[in-house]
Amino acid sequence: MRKRILHIGVAVVAYIMVFVIGATSSLLHPACYAYFGTIAPILFAFPYLVVASEIRTFGAATILNGLTLVCALVMDEGNAAFIIILIVLTILSEIIRGVRGYGSLRGVRLSFIPLALSYYGYAAHWWTATAATLQDATEEMSADYAVLVEQVIRNVPMLCVMMLLAIPVAILGMRLAERVMGRRAATFE
């Protein structure tokens, strides 16, 4: 039992750290922050596979996104869009896994797709609270940086493309996690 809790705990920390990496990527360029959600599924796949293999019932996605949400709210990083999107993605993930079977590798694969989009919930405030985002960018970085942020925000077609690309990346990420963590993947039907 302790070993299971340890595995889940380490996986949750790793999952949350993906959000931290994405949040700090804005130091490179605003586009890195805005579109990090496209590559995040590669990193999210590993902790999800661990938690899903340890929890063979309802709760794997709920634990990951639930604790992420709690941490974000404690750090004052939560907003309405983030909360709503994370809850919706978590519910979708849990429903898919429940329907496909908790012991099914296919269920893990399919349920990971909505969960893999979770970082876009975190970054959604750029598009749902644009004025506040631009004001924060000006105050925290510079007016020039805010101009770059605005350019990224206005490029909605790129956002759509990047979000769609996150789906095949999620599929590939889970396949990669299965190969790297073969023993865990082998425990599923």
Side-chain angles (χ1 to χ4, degrees), residues 97-125:
R97 188 160 179 230
V99 169
R100 297 303 303 179
Y102 293 111
S104 158
L105 185 57
R106 184 166 172 83
V108 171
R109 288 175 182 159
L110 291 174
S111 66
F112 178 62
I113 294 170
L115 188 74
L117 299 172
S118 294
Y119 182 82
Y120 277 112
Y122 176 72
H125 67 93

Side-chain angles (χ1 to χ4, degrees), residues 125 128-140:
H125 67 93
T128 60
T130 302
T133 297
L134 294 174
Q135 182 179 353
D136 289 347
T138 302
E139 291 171 5
E140 294 173 13

